[in-house]
Amino acid sequence: MHSPAIPQLTESDPQLAELIEAEARRQFEKVRLIASENYVSTAVLEAAGTVLTNKYAEGYAGKRYYEGQQFIDPIERMAIERAKALFGVEHANVQPYSGSPANLAIYLAFMQPGDTFLSLELAHGGHLTHGSPVSATGKWFRPVHYGVSKETGRIDMDSVRDVARAERPKMIFCGGTAIPRTIDFPAFAEIAREVGALLVADVAHIAGLIAGGAHPSPVGYAEVISTTTHKTLRGPRGAMLMSTAEHAVALDKAVFPGLQGGPHNHTTAAIAVALKEAATPEFAAYAHAVVRNADALARALVELGFDVVSGGTDNHLVLLDLTGQGIGGKPAAKALDRAGIELNFNTVPFDPRKPWDPSGVRLGTAAVTTRGLGVAEMPRIAGWMERAIRAAQREDEAALERVAAEVRELMVGYPMPGWAPTP
Ligand SMILES: *Cc1c(COP(=O)(O)O)cnc(C)c1O
């Protein structure tokens, strides 16, 4: 049963309610290893499901374009103050609808069409909004890229410096979607200073680890910080932009009226709830447990003979290169899903295959750690992955189903917020 309960919805739209119920059960029964996903708390779900969705609030607290902001203003201010306190920043904007529009606001604030910026190659773990040719950011601006070293699988700071010196970018992005190692913010800051570029840290994946003290903070190094709120930070789907006081006005103007209309107040409230949760000692313990679990999972996979990009992980994320396993990332991910283990196919650095049929899979431990799984369970997950991949190669559907049954048996012992099986 969903919690908060959805009796009205079940009554008025049973078809939809049934699909929500089925999705909740799926989340309950699977080992969810998609590195960008999590389970939000019931309090976050409650805030996101409130009447705050009824209100328009274009503008910022104290300067709105609609009346009736007596309670929306303090809610948004609360979210902002909590973000500033949690991350130790001078300015926060909690209005971006999601990570991608948050990043677009950064371009709008600091770049002119055609300007050059530097970011991590998409195929090496960057994000679409860091200048992919299919993204507006790649069509309207001029991206140049750094990559990871072929030998170490880690970001090659020499390549960052070399490209930065040669291209003199206006902006440098650090951060990405498939970086298993600690981001060296001081080294990026030094290069940005040398070439006169603005340093932007996109910490969408690792914001929760930073908040919990399990990854170094970009504050004091990156002038502008972009993050989603729904990955390791464990809030609702949304985003925040943070910066030094110097860039506050430019960022705020870029978000509204530059790109967006009214903020999603129910999301703002849920972000405020998540930020309060993230400031607790329990959350710091969670963040460290996420990293310990990822490390244990990576080690178990290495022991089973898997090729882990960069040899391991420092954060919540593990990137597997299946080149030597005789199976592509996509068929592996699909078979694993049937075996109750949910992850995504992913390119690996220097991937010989195409992005829609790449050689790797990406795993993360943010969600399973929220469920309460610990280092003792990680070798079991690795073992299931091995069995499922072998089964996929033999096209042995029965073996995949046996793994799925074992996965379900484990996961039903770990409650999830938001849903429980009806007794
Ligand atoms: C997830 C992510 C984004 C985009 O977030 P959406 O909410 O999916 O738009 C941007 N940058 C990085 C590094 C991300 O991991």
Side-chain angles (χ1 to χ4, degrees):
M1 204 175 94
H2 206 273
S3 159
I6 51 171
Q8 294 296 324
L9 182 63
T10 306
E11 169 102 21
S12 66
D13 197 338
Q15 242 182 327
L16 181 64
E18 208 172 288
L19 287 169
I20 294 172
E21 178 76 11
E23 167 62 13
R25 180 182 291 280
R26 192 194 67 79
Q27 292 185 13
F28 181 65
E29 291 179 347
K30 277 193 173 167
V31 166
R32 296 176 58 229
L33 297 177
I34 292 180
S36 49
E37 294 184 353
N38 213 325
Y39 297 88
V40 300
S41 72
T42 310
V44 167
L45 286 175
E46 285 179 356
T50 58
V51 296
L52 299 179
T53 194
N54 297 340
K55 186 76 195 105
Y56 244 101
E58 280 187 359
Y60 292 101
K63 298 168 289 199
R64 305 280 190 188
Y65 289 80
Y66 295 82
E67 297 316 310
Q69 309 296 344
Q70 291 83 356
F71 308 105
I72 297 298
D73 276 5
I75 288 168
E76 188 173 321
R77 283 203 180 100
M78 193 180 277
I80 290 169
E81 289 312 315
R82 286 178 183 174
K84 284 163 68 175
L86 181 64
F87 289 97
V89 289
E90 292 170 356
H91 176 68
N93 183 312
V94 296
Q95 293 192 6
Y97 299 143
S98 214
S100 303
N103 283 350
L104 201 52
I106 297 172
Y107 292 91
L108 184 61
F110 303 110
M111 303 263 289
Q112 292 300 317
D115 278 353
T116 300
F117 68 99
L118 176 61
S119 66
L120 178 60
E121 183 82 53
L122 181 64
H124 289 204
H127 190 260
L128 283 166
T129 59
H130 298 179
S132 151
V134 297
S135 158
T137 61
K139 290 179 193 288
W140 298 344
F141 307 99
R142 183 177 165 265
V144 290
H145 296 297
Y146 55 89
V148 303
S149 134
K150 199 160 191 175
E151 291 72 45
T152 64
R154 294 169 186 248
I155 287 170
D156 180 356
M157 292 312 295
D158 291 334
S159 112
V160 179
R161 193 177 304 102
D162 291 347
V163 185
R165 280 179 180 162
E167 299 282 353
R168 296 268 150 184
K170 209 162 178 181
M171 217 164 68
I172 299 177
F173 266 98
C174 55
T177 59
I179 304 173
R181 294 295 182 175
T182 302
I183 300 171
D184 190 347
F185 297 120
F188 272 102
E190 198 186 305
I191 293 165
R193 205 176 314 116
E194 185 195 322
V195 302
L198 180 82
L199 182 63
V200 178
D202 181 350
V203 298
H205 261 266
I206 53 173
L209 306 184
I210 293 167
H215 187 289
S217 169
V219 177
Y221 301 104
E223 293 101 322
V224 175
I225 299 165
S226 171
T227 185
T228 58
T229 47
H230 48 270
K231 299 180 185 175
T232 54
L233 193 55
R234 215 161 64 178
R237 303 201 77 96
M240 305 193 296
L241 288 169
M242 299 179 280
S243 72
T244 53
E246 185 192 349
H247 301 299
V249 173
L251 283 172
D252 283 356
K253 277 188 177 163
V255 173
F256 175 86
L259 282 173
Q260 299 189 170
H264 295 176
N265 308 304
H266 54 304
T267 300
T268 304
I271 289 173
V273 174
L275 290 170
K276 185 174 184 200
E277 291 174 358
T280 60
E282 292 75 24
F283 190 88
Y286 162 72
H288 285 90
V290 167
V291 175
R292 274 199 308 278
N293 280 345
D295 178 61
L297 186 55
R299 283 171 196 278
L301 288 163
V302 167
E303 233 164 79
L304 290 170
F306 284 100
D307 181 3
V308 173
V309 173
S310 84
T313 179
D314 298 326
N315 55 30
H316 65 302
L317 190 148
V318 179
L319 195 55
L320 276 192
D321 185 344
L322 298 174
T323 307
Q325 300 286 333
I327 188 168
K330 198 184 222 171
K334 288 191 178 303
L336 284 161
D337 191 48
R338 295 202 292 284
I341 295 166
E342 186 191 3
L343 41 67
N344 66 279
F345 60 85
N346 216 94
T347 53
V348 293
F350 310 100
D351 204 319
R353 300 161 70 110
K354 295 280 181 277
W356 60 88
D357 184 23
S359 303
V361 291
R362 187 187 69 161
L363 304 71
T365 51
V368 290
T369 307
T370 297
R371 288 292 289 277
L373 271 63
V375 289
E377 284 75 37
M378 296 304 123
R380 270 192 93 181
I381 294 176
W384 282 325
M385 288 182 59
E386 214 252 336
R387 274 171 58 194
I389 286 171
R390 298 291 160 255
Q393 285 166 324
R394 306 191 298 271
E395 294 181 28
D396 185 347
E397 280 302 315
L400 291 178
E401 273 162 38
R402 280 196 298 276
V403 174
E406 287 177 38
V407 167
R408 205 175 307 122
E409 198 183 305
L410 176 78
M411 293 315 292
V412 297
Y414 294 87
M416 72 177 255
W419 189 84
T422 314

